[in-house]
Structure formats: structure tokens, C-alpha cells
Amino acid sequence: MAEEKRRIVSIDALRGLDMVLLSGGAAVLWQLCRAGWGNEVPEWLAQQFRHAEWGCGFTCWDLVMPLFLFITGCSMPIAFSRYREQGRLRTMWRVLRRVVLLFVLGMVVQGNLCSGEPEHMSLFCNTLQAIAAGYLVSAVVLMFWDWRGQLVSCLVLMAAYWALLRFVPYDGQPAGLFRPDNNLAYYIDCALQGHWQDGTPYTWILTMLNFGAITLMGVLGGGVVFRMRGLRAAGILSASGGLCLGAALLLEYDTPLIKHLFTTTMVLWSGGWCLLLLAVFHVVFDILPRTAWLAYPFQVVGCNALLAYMLTNTPGLGGRSLWDSIAYPLFRWAEEPLLYEALSYVLLWLTLWFLYRHKACLRV
């Protein structure tokens, strides 16, 4: 079967939607809200455009990173159906190469790798590195186990992370602390990264367990769509998403929902929404024949998601991103923020569209 026929529009479109938001679409939406409300945007709506404070719930913007990991997993069953023909050794080499490249790119984006000043660099601090960790864990599981083993592995990873945070004391501190600068995962990051820890309360090393868990949720969700397709797949995804949301509400009585810490409660909550989104996209773009064309703007961005992320998140000139360094000289005459953000993003989309039309995609 040709690769074009194996691709699933809903997965490509969902990846594109996530990257649209992350690469500037959210900024355009925010400026639209400001224009519509005359700069008096209701607080409940404004909160959706920024991360929730520590332990203070969950916002739409909090979903962007988990969705990035989830959609990485969704693509893996399709890719690994090809890789298995090459043998496990060659597949593992491909996986390790991709993990290393993503990790290095993460340091370029957020770890000051290009500064040439090791004392100002951060080692493990970026979404691309979280994706690398989740991809590695999921690749190992995917190579050796079917969907049952993948499900058990996902549950074990979430349970292990929950148990470690809840029951393991450290450095004279009691177990079960969930403070920004005082929890087991943060302690391990500071101990192992030293001065290369980025100084934020986000955690990474121990949290790789849950990076793997939410990526495996994507593997399971993508596998359902890949194997079944149709309303049955949408029903399974919806039921699974609802089950995850219910489990998160129950677990929140014991463990707070903290995105910075990627608690198991947060993984269940965000994973539930990711599964529901995949179900909706599967119905709209894979099942309904007259709406598939709506996916095209997202597919254009999703095809070059890594390039869009690097352009809009890597530091450039004057404290701007690489893309802003290009767009600002062209559109600085646009005094209205909405006009500037819209023009900048249209130019980015057209650039990605040109690459899409010529089948030029940045892959690792």
C-alpha cells in the first residue's frame, strides 16, 4: 500500500491544528478577542491563552504540549508497520537517531545551545525533548508488544510516576509534596542537571515516565483509527476519552492536577481531551466525505510541524524568534497588533504551503 493511501487525514489535521496554535495561530486568536472585546477580554477567556498557575486547574493552552506528545504517538503505529520490515536493529537505530536529533534541537530552541556559553545552557527543558523521551519509551513498547501490552505499559508508567511522587521521601523531606520548588521530580532534576537546570518549576527527568504514558495513549488511539476506522473507532476513542476524564476527576482527590509537574491526574485529564479530539477529527475528516477538504489548511502546517515549531520558537535577533526576525522588517508598518500577527502568520502559512506543494518536509 502506498504511503499516501496509508496516511490518515484526521491525524495529520490534528497535528496541524496543534502546530497552528503553537506557531502563531493562538496569537492571532488572542488579538481577535482583544479587538472584539475592546481590550476588555473576560478573565475566564484570557486564562485560556496562558498556562494555569501551579495547582490552579487546566486551560486550553495547557493542552497544547500534551497534544503534541499524543499526536506523535498517533503516527507511530503507521510508521512502525513499515519499520518492522527493516528489522529491529535497524529500527532501533532509526529511533535512537531521531531521539538524539530531537534532544539537540530542543537545546537549540530553549537551552541556549547556540550561545557558545555552557554556563548559560540548559540541558533538559523543552517540549521537543519531552517528545524525544516519550517517543523512545513508546518505540520500545511498540516493537515488542501489541495493543494489550501497550495499554498495560501506559497504565504502569502512570501508576509508577504517581506512586513515586506520593510515597518516596527525599533529601530529608516527606513524601507526597507537590510544591513548585519542593517535590521529588524537581529534586531529581536539580540533583542530576545541576547548573544546567533551567530555573523553572517544570520537571523532566523523572517525568519521562508520564511523557511516555501520554505518547502511548496516542499510540493506542492512532492504532484504533489505523486498524478499524469508521464509527466504531470513533466510539472507542470517545469512550476511552470519557473514561480518562472520569479517572482524572477521581484521582484529583488524591493528587493535584499540575501541568508543570505532569502529574498523572494531568495526564489522564489531557489525554482524555486528546482522545475526544481525535474522535471528532476522525468523524469530520475521515468518515464524512464532504468535509475532508476542511483539513487542508491544517495538513499544510502539520506536514512541516517541526519546521514551523523551530522557526517560531527558536531565538533570533533582538530577542525575537527566527520567524519574527523575518516578519518584523516586512510588517512593522502594521500598527494594529491584530494586523501584524495575521500578516505574519499568513506569510508563514504560505511558506509552509509552498513546501507542501513541492513535497519538501523537514523530518528527523
Side-chain angles (χ1 to χ4, degrees):
M1 184 183 295
E3 183 177 354
E4 289 78 7
K5 294 182 179 179
R6 296 165 68 94
R7 298 198 68 86
I8 299 173
V9 175
S10 58
I11 293 176
D12 288 341
L14 189 55
R15 181 189 301 107
L17 171 64
D18 195 45
M19 190 46 57
V20 164
L21 294 173
L22 196 55
S23 61
V28 175
L29 288 175
W30 170 243
Q31 295 301 335
L32 280 171
C33 291
R34 291 187 63 192
W37 269 277
N39 293 331
E40 296 294 333
V41 182
E43 181 59 24
W44 66 268
L45 181 58
Q47 287 178 351
Q48 304 311 310
F49 290 88
R50 57 179 182 260
H51 291 303
E53 296 295 327
W54 184 279
C56 295
F58 192 84
T59 67
C60 291
W61 193 242
D62 286 330
L63 185 60
V64 173
M65 178 184 173
L67 183 57
F68 210 162
L69 274 77
F70 177 87
I71 206 66
T72 298
C74 286
S75 305
M76 292 179 70
I78 304 172
F80 274 70
S81 66
R82 295 193 310 273
Y83 296 165
R84 288 192 185 95
E85 300 171 2
Q86 303 172 1
R88 284 180 178 171
L89 187 61
R90 192 170 179 181
T91 299
M92 276 307 301
W93 167 248
R94 181 189 292 267
V95 168
L96 291 174
R97 182 184 65 183
R98 189 179 193 197
V99 167
V100 170
L101 286 172
L102 285 172
F103 201 88
V104 171
L105 290 175
M107 287 191 68
V108 170
V109 172
Q110 207 164 343
N112 297 317
L113 182 63
C114 297
S115 68
E117 301 174 343
E119 65 275 11
H120 295 145
M121 294 180 187
S122 298
L123 185 61
F124 197 170
C125 60
N126 181 258
T127 298
L128 290 180
Q129 296 169 320
I131 291 174
Y135 178 76
L136 178 60
V137 171
S138 300
V140 173
V141 172
L142 190 58
M143 280 196 297
F144 292 98
W145 289 290
D146 61 8
W147 70 269
R148 297 174 185 83
Q150 295 160 21
L151 176 59
V152 170
S153 298
C154 180
L155 295 174
V156 168
L157 288 169
M158 287 191 290
Y161 189 63
W162 166 79
L164 288 169
L165 291 183
R166 284 286 285 111
F167 301 116
V168 176
Y170 58 94
D171 195 34
Q173 300 293 324
L177 297 179
F178 292 96
R179 298 170 188 165
D181 58 350
N182 197 356
N183 58 77
L184 177 63
Y186 182 77
Y187 170 75
I188 290 175
D189 271 10
C190 291
L192 295 182
Q193 296 196 62
H195 72 276
W196 281 12
Q197 199 272 342
D198 67 351
T200 72
Y202 286 92
T203 60
W204 305 93
I205 296 175
L206 185 63
T207 312
M208 287 192 295
L209 294 171
N210 268 356
F211 294 156
I214 197 161
T215 308
L216 277 173
M217 283 190 189
V219 170
L220 290 163
V224 168
V225 174
F226 184 47
R227 290 190 305 269
M228 300 179 185
R229 307 204 184 193
L231 291 176
R232 183 185 177 195
I236 292 174
L237 292 170
S238 299
S240 301
L243 186 62
C244 286
L245 294 177
L249 291 174
L250 290 175
L251 187 59
E252 195 171 11
Y253 286 100
D254 174 84
T255 301
L257 192 159
I258 303 173
K259 192 266 180 183
H260 301 71
L261 195 53
F262 238 74
T263 59
T264 296
T265 309
M266 196 284 298
V267 170
L268 287 168
W269 185 254
S270 60
W273 286 112
C274 290
L275 287 164
L276 291 174
L277 279 172
L278 182 58
V280 171
F281 272 57
H282 182 51
V283 171
V284 174
F285 298 129
D286 296 331
I287 298 177
L288 299 177
R290 296 185 179 181
T291 55
W293 65 272
L294 294 171
Y296 185 77
F298 301 124
Q299 287 178 288
V300 167
V301 181
C303 177
N304 256 311
L306 180 59
L307 177 62
Y309 181 82
M310 294 295 296
L311 284 173
T312 55
N313 288 273
T314 303
L317 300 174
R320 301 176 182 273
S321 69
L322 285 177
W323 185 252
D324 264 345
S325 299
I326 297 170
Y328 182 72
L330 296 174
F331 304 125
R332 59 184 174 184
W333 52 265
E335 297 181 0
E336 286 295 325
L338 173 58
L339 181 59
Y340 173 81
E341 296 291 353
L343 289 172
S344 175
Y345 199 78
V346 167
L347 180 60
L348 176 63
W349 189 91
L350 289 173
T351 302
L352 298 175
W353 172 79
F354 177 82
L355 296 173
Y356 181 81
R357 291 279 293 178
H358 289 81
K359 296 182 173 20
C361 297
L362 176 63
R363 302 185 186 278
V364 296

